[in-house]
Coordinates of all heavy atoms in Angstrom, one line a residue:
M76 N -1.3 20.9 -14.4 CA -0.1 21.0 -13.5 C 0.4 19.5 -13.2 O -0.4 18.6 -13.0 CB -0.6 21.6 -12.1 CG 0.5 21.7 -11.2 SD 0.0 22.7 -9.8 CE 0.3 21.6 -8.5
Q77 N 1.6 19.3 -13.4 CA 2.2 18.0 -13.1 C 3.2 18.1 -12.0 O 3.9 19.1 -11.8 CB 3.0 17.5 -14.4 CG 2.0 17.2 -15.5 CD 2.8 16.6 -16.7 OE1 4.0 16.5 -16.7 NE2 2.1 16.0 -17.6
I78 N 3.1 17.1 -11.1 CA 3.9 17.1 -9.9 C 5.0 16.0 -10.1 O 4.7 14.9 -10.5 CB 3.1 16.8 -8.7 CG1 2.1 18.0 -8.5 CG2 4.0 16.7 -7.4 CD1 1.1 17.8 -7.4
D79 N 6.2 16.4 -9.8 CA 7.3 15.5 -9.9 C 7.2 14.3 -9.0 O 6.7 14.5 -7.8 CB 8.6 16.3 -9.6 CG 9.9 15.5 -9.9 OD1 9.8 14.3 -10.3 OD2 11.0 16.0 -9.7
E80 N 7.6 13.2 -9.4 CA 7.5 11.9 -8.6 C 8.3 12.1 -7.3 O 8.0 11.4 -6.3 CB 7.9 10.7 -9.4 CG 7.0 10.3 -10.5 CD 5.7 9.8 -9.9 OE1 5.7 9.1 -8.9 OE2 4.6 10.1 -10.5
S81 N 9.3 12.9 -7.3 CA 10.2 13.0 -6.1 C 9.4 13.6 -5.0 O 9.6 13.4 -3.8 CB 11.4 13.8 -6.4 OG 11.1 15.2 -6.8
V82 N 8.4 14.5 -5.3 CA 7.6 15.1 -4.3 C 6.7 14.0 -3.6 O 6.6 14.0 -2.4 CB 6.7 16.2 -4.9 CG1 5.7 16.7 -3.9 CG2 7.5 17.3 -5.5
L83 N 6.2 13.1 -4.4 CA 5.4 12.0 -3.8 C 6.3 11.2 -2.8 O 5.9 10.9 -1.7 CB 4.8 11.1 -4.9 CG 4.1 9.9 -4.4 CD1 2.9 10.2 -3.6 CD2 3.8 9.0 -5.6
A84 N 7.5 10.9 -3.3 CA 8.4 10.1 -2.4 C 8.8 10.8 -1.2 O 8.8 10.2 -0.1 CB 9.6 9.7 -3.2
R85 N 9.0 12.1 -1.3 CA 9.4 12.9 -0.1 C 8.2 13.0 0.9 O 8.4 12.9 2.1 CB 9.8 14.3 -0.6 CG 10.7 15.1 0.3 CD 11.4 16.3 -0.3 NE 10.5 17.1 -1.1 CZ 10.6 17.4 -2.4 NH1 11.6 16.8 -3.0 NH2 9.8 18.2 -3.0
Q86 N 7.0 13.2 0.4 CA 5.9 13.3 1.3 C 5.6 12.0 2.0 O 5.3 12.0 3.1 CB 4.6 13.8 0.5 CG 4.6 15.2 0.2 CD 4.5 16.1 1.4 OE1 5.5 16.5 1.9 NE2 3.3 16.3 1.9
A87 N 5.7 10.9 1.2 CA 5.5 9.6 1.8 C 6.5 9.3 2.9 O 6.2 8.8 4.0 CB 5.6 8.5 0.7
D88 N 7.8 9.7 2.7 CA 8.8 9.6 3.7 C 8.5 10.4 4.9 O 8.7 10.0 6.0 CB 10.2 9.9 3.1 CG 11.3 9.7 4.1 OD1 11.4 8.6 4.6 OD2 12.1 10.7 4.3
R89 N 8.1 11.7 4.7 CA 7.7 12.5 5.8 C 6.6 11.9 6.7 O 6.6 12.0 7.9 CB 7.3 13.9 5.3 CG 8.5 14.7 4.8 CD 8.1 16.1 4.3 NE 7.5 16.8 5.4 CZ 6.8 17.9 5.2 NH1 6.5 18.4 4.0 NH2 6.3 18.6 6.2
L90 N 5.6 11.3 6.0 CA 4.5 10.7 6.7 C 4.9 9.5 7.5 O 4.5 9.3 8.6 CB 3.4 10.3 5.7 CG 2.1 9.7 6.3 CD1 1.5 10.7 7.3 CD2 1.2 9.4 5.2
R91 N 5.8 8.7 6.9 CA 6.3 7.5 7.6 C 7.1 7.9 8.9 O 6.9 7.4 9.9 CB 7.3 6.8 6.6 CG 7.0 5.3 6.5 CD 7.9 4.6 5.6 NE 8.6 5.3 4.6 CZ 8.2 5.6 3.3 NH1 7.0 5.2 3.0 NH2 8.9 6.2 2.5
R92 N 7.9 9.0 8.7 CA 8.7 9.5 9.9 C 7.8 10.0 11.0 O 8.0 9.8 12.1 CB 9.7 10.5 9.5 CG 11.0 9.9 8.9 CD 12.0 10.9 8.6 NE 11.7 11.6 7.4 CZ 11.8 12.9 7.1 NH1 12.3 13.7 8.0 NH2 11.4 13.4 6.0
L93 N 6.7 10.8 10.5 CA 5.8 11.3 11.5 C 5.1 10.2 12.3 O 5.1 10.3 13.5 CB 4.7 12.1 10.8 CG 3.5 12.6 11.6 CD1 3.9 13.8 12.4 CD2 2.3 12.8 10.8
R94 N 4.7 9.2 11.6 CA 4.0 8.1 12.3 C 4.9 7.3 13.2 O 4.5 6.7 14.2 CB 3.3 7.2 11.3 CG 2.1 7.8 10.7 CD 1.4 6.9 9.8 NE 0.1 7.5 9.3 CZ -0.5 7.2 8.3 NH1 -0.1 6.2 7.5 NH2 -1.7 7.8 8.0
T95 N 6.2 7.3 12.9 CA 7.2 6.7 13.7 C 7.6 7.5 15.0 O 7.7 6.9 16.1 CB 8.5 6.4 12.9 OG1 8.2 5.6 11.8 CG2 9.6 5.7 13.8
D96 N 7.7 8.8 14.8 CA 8.1 9.7 15.9 C 7.0 10.1 16.9 O 7.3 10.4 18.0 CB 8.8 10.9 15.3 CG 10.0 10.6 14.5 OD1 10.6 9.5 14.7 OD2 10.5 11.5 13.7
R97 N 5.8 10.1 16.4 CA 4.7 10.5 17.3 C 4.3 9.4 18.3 O 4.7 8.3 18.2 CB 3.5 11.0 16.5 CG 2.8 9.8 15.9 CD 1.6 10.1 15.0 NE 1.0 8.9 14.6 CZ 0.0 8.9 13.7 NH1 -0.5 10.0 13.3 NH2 -0.6 7.7 13.3
S98 N 3.5 9.8 19.3 CA 2.9 8.8 20.2 C 1.6 8.3 19.6 O 0.6 9.0 19.7 CB 2.7 9.5 21.6 OG 1.9 8.6 22.4
N99 N 1.7 7.1 19.0 CA 0.5 6.5 18.4 C -0.6 6.2 19.4 O -1.7 6.3 19.1 CB 0.9 5.3 17.6 CG 1.7 5.6 16.4 OD1 1.3 6.5 15.6 ND2 2.8 5.0 16.2
E100 N -0.2 6.0 20.7 CA -1.2 5.8 21.7 C -1.9 7.0 22.0 O -3.2 7.0 22.2 CB -0.5 5.3 23.0 CG 0.1 3.9 22.8 CD 1.1 3.5 24.0 OE1 1.4 4.4 24.8 OE2 1.5 2.4 24.0
E101 N -1.2 8.2 22.0 CA -1.9 9.5 22.2 C -2.8 9.8 21.1 O -4.0 10.3 21.3 CB -0.9 10.6 22.4 CG -1.5 11.9 22.7 CD -2.2 12.0 24.0 OE1 -2.0 11.2 24.9 OE2 -3.0 13.0 24.1
V102 N -2.4 9.5 19.9 CA -3.2 9.7 18.7 C -4.5 8.9 18.8 O -5.6 9.4 18.6 CB -2.5 9.4 17.4 CG1 -3.4 9.4 16.2 CG2 -1.4 10.4 17.2
A103 N -4.4 7.6 19.2 CA -5.5 6.7 19.3 C -6.5 7.3 20.3 O -7.7 7.2 20.1 CB -5.1 5.3 19.6
R104 N -5.9 7.8 21.5 CA -6.8 8.3 22.5 C -7.6 9.5 22.0 O -8.8 9.7 22.3 CB -6.0 8.7 23.7 CG -5.7 7.6 24.7 CD -5.2 8.1 26.0 NE -3.9 8.8 25.9 CZ -2.8 8.2 25.9 NH1 -2.7 6.9 26.0 NH2 -1.6 8.9 25.8
R105 N -6.9 10.4 21.3 CA -7.5 11.6 20.8 C -8.6 11.3 19.7 O -9.6 11.9 19.7 CB -6.5 12.6 20.2 CG -5.5 13.1 21.2 CD -6.1 13.8 22.3 NE -5.1 14.3 23.2 CZ -5.3 15.0 24.3 NH1 -6.5 15.4 24.6 NH2 -4.3 15.4 25.1
L106 N -8.3 10.3 18.9 CA -9.3 9.9 17.8 C -10.5 9.3 18.5 O -11.6 9.4 18.0 CB -8.6 9.0 16.8 CG -7.6 9.7 15.9 CD1 -6.9 8.7 15.0 CD2 -8.2 10.9 15.1
S107 N -10.2 8.5 19.5 CA -11.3 7.9 20.2 C -12.2 8.9 20.9 O -13.5 8.8 20.9 CB -10.8 6.9 21.3 OG -11.8 6.3 22.0
A108 N -11.6 9.9 21.5 CA -12.4 11.0 22.1 C -13.2 11.8 21.0 O -14.3 12.2 21.3 CB -11.5 12.0 22.8
L109 N -12.6 11.9 19.9 CA -13.3 12.6 18.8 C -14.5 11.8 18.3 O -15.6 12.3 18.2 CB -12.3 12.8 17.6 CG -13.0 13.3 16.3 CD1 -13.6 14.7 16.5 CD2 -11.9 13.4 15.2
C110 N -14.4 10.5 18.2 CA -15.5 9.6 17.8 C -16.6 9.7 18.9 O -17.8 9.8 18.5 CB -15.0 8.1 17.7 SG -14.1 7.8 16.2
K111 N -16.2 9.6 20.2 CA -17.2 9.7 21.2 C -18.0 11.0 21.2 O -19.2 11.1 21.3 CB -16.5 9.5 22.6 CG -17.5 9.5 23.7 CD -16.7 9.2 25.0 CE -17.7 9.1 26.2 NZ -17.1 8.9 27.5
A112 N -17.3 12.1 21.0 CA -17.9 13.4 20.9 C -18.8 13.5 19.7 O -19.9 14.1 19.8 CB -16.8 14.5 20.8
A113 N -18.4 12.9 18.6 CA -19.2 12.9 17.4 C -20.5 12.2 17.5 O -21.5 12.5 16.8 CB -18.4 12.4 16.2
Q114 N -20.6 11.2 18.4 CA -21.8 10.5 18.7 C -22.8 11.3 19.5 O -24.0 10.9 19.5 CB -21.5 9.2 19.4 CG -20.7 8.2 18.5 CD -20.2 7.0 19.3 OE1 -20.3 6.9 20.5 NE2 -19.6 6.1 18.5
G115 N -22.4 12.4 20.1 CA -23.3 13.2 20.9 C -23.5 14.5 20.2 O -23.5 14.6 18.9
A116 N -23.7 15.6 21.0 CA -24.0 16.9 20.4 C -22.9 17.9 20.7 O -23.0 19.1 20.6 CB -25.3 17.4 21.0
E117 N -21.7 17.4 21.1 CA -20.5 18.2 21.4 C -20.0 19.0 20.2 O -20.1 18.5 19.1 CB -19.4 17.4 22.0 CG -19.6 17.1 23.4 CD -18.3 16.4 24.0 OE1 -17.3 17.1 24.1 OE2 -18.4 15.2 24.3
N118 N -19.3 20.1 20.5 CA -18.6 20.8 19.4 C -17.3 19.9 19.1 O -16.6 19.6 20.0 CB -18.2 22.2 20.0 CG -17.4 23.0 19.0 OD1 -17.0 22.5 17.9 ND2 -17.1 24.2 19.3
L119 N -17.1 19.6 17.9 CA -16.0 18.7 17.5 C -14.7 19.4 17.3 O -13.7 18.8 17.4 CB -16.4 18.0 16.2 CG -17.6 17.1 16.3 CD1 -17.8 16.3 14.9 CD2 -17.5 16.1 17.4
M120 N -14.7 20.7 17.1 CA -13.5 21.4 16.9 C -12.4 21.3 18.0 O -11.3 21.1 17.6 CB -13.8 22.9 16.6 CG -14.3 23.2 15.2 SD -13.3 22.4 13.8 CE -11.8 23.3 14.0
P121 N -12.8 21.4 19.2 CA -11.7 21.2 20.3 C -11.1 19.8 20.2 O -9.9 19.6 20.4 CB -12.5 21.4 21.6 CG -13.6 22.2 21.2 CD -14.0 21.8 19.9
H122 N -11.9 18.8 19.9 CA -11.4 17.4 19.7 C -10.5 17.2 18.5 O -9.5 16.5 18.5 CB -12.6 16.4 19.7 CG -13.4 16.4 21.0 ND1 -12.9 15.8 22.1 CD2 -14.5 17.0 21.3 CE1 -13.8 16.0 23.1 NE2 -14.8 16.7 22.6
I123 N -10.9 17.9 17.4 CA -10.1 17.8 16.2 C -8.8 18.5 16.5 O -7.7 18.0 16.1 CB -10.9 18.5 15.0 CG1 -12.1 17.6 14.6 CG2 -9.9 18.7 13.8 CD1 -13.0 18.3 13.6
Y124 N -8.8 19.7 17.1 CA -7.6 20.4 17.5 C -6.7 19.6 18.3 O -5.5 19.5 18.1 CB -8.0 21.7 18.2 CG -6.8 22.6 18.5 CD1 -6.0 23.2 17.5 CD2 -6.5 22.8 19.8 CE1 -4.9 24.0 17.8 CE2 -5.4 23.6 20.2 CZ -4.6 24.2 19.2 OH -3.5 24.9 19.5
E125 N -7.2 18.9 19.3 CA -6.4 18.0 20.2 C -5.8 16.9 19.4 O -4.6 16.5 19.6 CB -7.2 17.5 21.4 CG -7.5 18.6 22.4 CD -6.3 19.2 23.0 OE1 -5.3 18.5 23.3 OE2 -6.4 20.5 23.2
A126 N -6.5 16.3 18.4 CA -6.0 15.3 17.6 C -4.9 15.8 16.7 O -3.8 15.1 16.5 CB -7.1 14.7 16.7
V127 N -5.0 17.0 16.2 CA -4.0 17.6 15.4 C -2.7 17.9 16.2 O -1.6 17.6 15.7 CB -4.5 18.9 14.7 CG1 -3.4 19.7 14.1 CG2 -5.6 18.6 13.6
K128 N -2.9 18.4 17.4 CA -1.8 18.6 18.3 C -1.0 17.3 18.6 O 0.2 17.3 18.8 CB -2.2 19.3 19.6 CG -2.5 20.7 19.4 CD -2.8 21.6 20.6 CE -3.0 20.9 21.9 NZ -3.3 21.8 23.0
A129 N -1.7 16.2 18.6 CA -1.1 14.9 18.8 C -0.5 14.3 17.5 O 0.0 13.2 17.6 CB -2.1 13.9 19.4
Y130 N -0.6 15.1 16.5 CA 0.0 14.7 15.2 C -0.8 13.6 14.4 O -0.3 12.8 13.7 CB 1.4 14.3 15.2 CG 2.3 15.4 15.6 CD1 2.8 15.6 16.9 CD2 2.7 16.4 14.7 CE1 3.6 16.6 17.3 CE2 3.5 17.4 15.1 CZ 3.9 17.6 16.4 OH 4.7 18.6 16.7
A131 N -2.2 13.6 14.7 CA -3.0 12.7 13.9 C -3.1 13.4 12.5 O -3.1 14.6 12.3 CB -4.4 12.7 14.5
T132 N -3.1 12.5 11.5 CA -3.2 13.1 10.1 C -4.6 13.4 9.7 O -5.6 13.0 10.3 CB -2.6 12.0 9.1 OG1 -3.5 10.9 9.1 CG2 -1.2 11.6 9.4
L133 N -4.8 14.2 8.7 CA -6.1 14.5 8.2 C -6.9 13.3 7.8 O -8.1 13.2 8.1 CB -6.0 15.5 6.9 CG -7.3 15.9 6.3 CD1 -8.2 16.6 7.2 CD2 -7.0 16.7 5.0
G134 N -6.2 12.3 7.2 CA -6.9 11.1 6.8 C -7.4 10.3 8.0 O -8.5 9.8 8.0
E135 N -6.6 10.3 9.1 CA -7.0 9.6 10.3 C -8.2 10.3 10.9 O -9.1 9.6 11.4 CB -5.8 9.5 11.3 CG -4.7 8.6 10.8 CD -3.4 8.7 11.6 OE1 -3.1 9.8 12.1 OE2 -2.7 7.7 11.7
I136 N -8.2 11.6 10.9 CA -9.3 12.3 11.5 C -10.6 12.1 10.7 O -11.6 11.8 11.2 CB -9.0 13.8 11.6 CG1 -7.8 14.0 12.6 CG2 -10.2 14.7 12.0 CD1 -7.2 15.4 12.6
C137 N -10.4 12.1 9.4 CA -11.6 11.9 8.5 C -12.1 10.5 8.6 O -13.3 10.3 8.7 CB -11.2 12.2 7.0 SG -11.0 13.9 6.7
D138 N -11.2 9.5 8.8 CA -11.6 8.1 9.0 C -12.4 8.0 10.3 O -13.4 7.3 10.3 CB -10.4 7.2 9.0 CG -9.8 7.0 7.6 OD1 -10.5 7.3 6.6 OD2 -8.7 6.5 7.6
A139 N -12.0 8.6 11.3 CA -12.7 8.6 12.6 C -14.1 9.1 12.5 O -15.0 8.6 13.0 CB -11.9 9.3 13.7
L140 N -14.2 10.3 11.8 CA -15.5 10.9 11.6 C -16.4 10.0 10.7 O -17.6 9.9 10.9 CB -15.4 12.3 11.1 CG -14.7 13.3 12.0 CD1 -14.5 14.6 11.4 CD2 -15.6 13.4 13.3
R141 N -15.8 9.4 9.7 CA -16.6 8.5 8.8 C -17.2 7.3 9.6 O -18.2 6.8 9.3 CB -15.7 7.9 7.7 CG -15.7 8.8 6.5 CD -15.0 8.1 5.3 NE -14.3 9.1 4.6 CZ -13.0 9.4 4.7 NH1 -12.2 8.7 5.4 NH2 -12.5 10.4 4.0
E142 N -16.4 6.8 10.6 CA -16.9 5.7 11.4 C -18.3 6.1 12.1 O -19.1 5.2 12.2 CB -15.9 5.4 12.5 CG -14.7 4.6 12.1 CD -13.8 4.3 13.3 OE1 -14.3 4.2 14.4 OE2 -12.6 4.2 13.0
V143 N -18.4 7.3 12.5 CA -19.6 7.8 13.1 C -20.7 8.2 12.2 O -21.8 7.8 12.3 CB -19.3 8.9 14.1 CG1 -20.6 9.5 14.8 CG2 -18.3 8.5 15.2
F144 N -20.3 9.1 11.2 CA -21.3 9.7 10.3 C -21.5 8.9 9.0 O -22.5 9.2 8.3 CB -20.9 11.1 10.0 CG -20.8 12.0 11.2 CD1 -19.6 12.6 11.6 CD2 -21.9 12.2 11.9 CE1 -19.6 13.4 12.7 CE2 -21.9 13.1 13.1 CZ -20.7 13.7 13.4
G145 N -20.6 8.1 8.7 CA -20.7 7.4 7.4 C -20.2 8.3 6.2 O -19.7 9.4 6.4
T146 N -20.5 7.9 5.0 CA -20.1 8.6 3.8 C -21.4 9.0 3.1 O -22.3 8.2 2.8 CB -19.2 7.8 2.9 OG1 -18.1 7.3 3.7 CG2 -18.8 8.5 1.7
Y147 N -21.4 10.3 2.7 CA -22.6 10.8 2.0 C -22.6 10.2 0.5 O -21.5 10.2 -0.1 CB -22.6 12.3 1.9 CG -23.7 12.9 1.0 CD1 -25.0 12.9 1.4 CD2 -23.4 13.3 -0.3 CE1 -26.0 13.4 0.6 CE2 -24.4 13.8 -1.1 CZ -25.7 13.8 -0.6 OH -26.7 14.3 -1.4
E148 N -23.7 9.7 0.1 CA -23.8 9.3 -1.3 C -25.1 9.9 -1.8 O -26.2 9.8 -1.3 CB -23.9 7.7 -1.3 CG -22.7 7.0 -0.9 CD -22.7 5.5 -1.1 OE1 -23.5 5.1 -1.9 OE2 -22.0 4.9 -0.3
E149 N -24.9 10.6 -2.9 CA -26.0 11.3 -3.5 C -27.0 10.3 -4.1 O -26.6 9.3 -4.7 CB -25.5 12.2 -4.7 CG -26.6 13.1 -5.3 CD -26.0 14.1 -6.3 OE1 -24.8 14.1 -6.5 OE2 -26.8 14.8 -6.9
A150 N -28.3 10.6 -3.9 CA -29.3 9.7 -4.4 C -29.4 9.8 -5.9 O -29.3 10.9 -6.4 CB -30.7 10.1 -3.7
A151 N -29.6 8.7 -6.5 CA -29.8 8.7 -8.0 C -31.1 9.4 -8.4 O -32.1 9.1 -7.8 CB -29.7 7.3 -8.5
V152 N -31.0 10.2 -9.4 CA -32.2 10.9 -9.9 C -32.6 10.2 -11.2 O -31.8 10.2 -12.1 CB -32.0 12.4 -10.1 CG1 -33.2 13.1 -10.6 CG2 -31.5 13.0 -8.8
T153 N -33.8 9.8 -11.3 CA -34.2 9.1 -12.5 C -35.3 9.9 -13.2 O -35.9 10.8 -12.8 CB -34.8 7.7 -12.2 OG1 -35.9 7.9 -11.3 CG2 -33.8 6.8 -11.7

C-alpha cells in the first residue's frame, strides 16, 4: 500500500492547527495528572480520557507514559 504525499502534508497541517487552536496549558495539566496517576496505582483510563478531551495527541500521551514506565526492551537471548 502506498500513501500519497499529499496525505502526509494534510495530516501535518491538521496537527499544526490542532496544536495552535487547543489550550496547551490544559493539555499540559492533563498530561501532568496522567503522569502522577501512573506513578501510583490509579486507573489510568480516566486520565487518558481527560487528556484526549483536552486534545492531547496520542504521541503526547505515550510520551507522558514513557516518562514514568520507560520503554520495554527485549533481553538478548544468547
Side-chain angles (χ1 to χ4, degrees):
M76 184 169 124
Q77 291 187 350
I78 298 174
D79 187 359
E80 288 294 318
S81 66
V82 174
L83 175 64
R85 199 166 49 243
Q86 283 296 94
D88 184 53
R89 288 178 63 195
L90 182 59
R91 232 181 337 273
R92 278 187 282 141
L93 171 79
R94 287 183 172 158
T95 301
D96 295 344
R97 71 183 183 183
S98 170
N99 288 312
E100 293 166 354
E101 181 66 18
V102 170
R104 273 194 298 278
R105 299 298 181 177
L106 292 175
S107 178
L109 175 61
C110 284
K111 185 176 180 182
Q114 292 170 353
E117 280 187 67
N118 180 354
L119 298 182
M120 283 309 296
H122 296 282
I123 293 171
Y124 182 66
E125 290 300 320
V127 168
K128 285 188 349 185
Y130 295 100
T132 66
L133 177 60
E135 291 168 330
I136 293 169
C137 290
D138 287 343
L140 293 174
R141 270 189 217 99
E142 283 181 28
V143 177
F144 298 119
T146 302
Y147 174 76
E148 292 185 26
E149 186 175 357
V152 178
T153 56

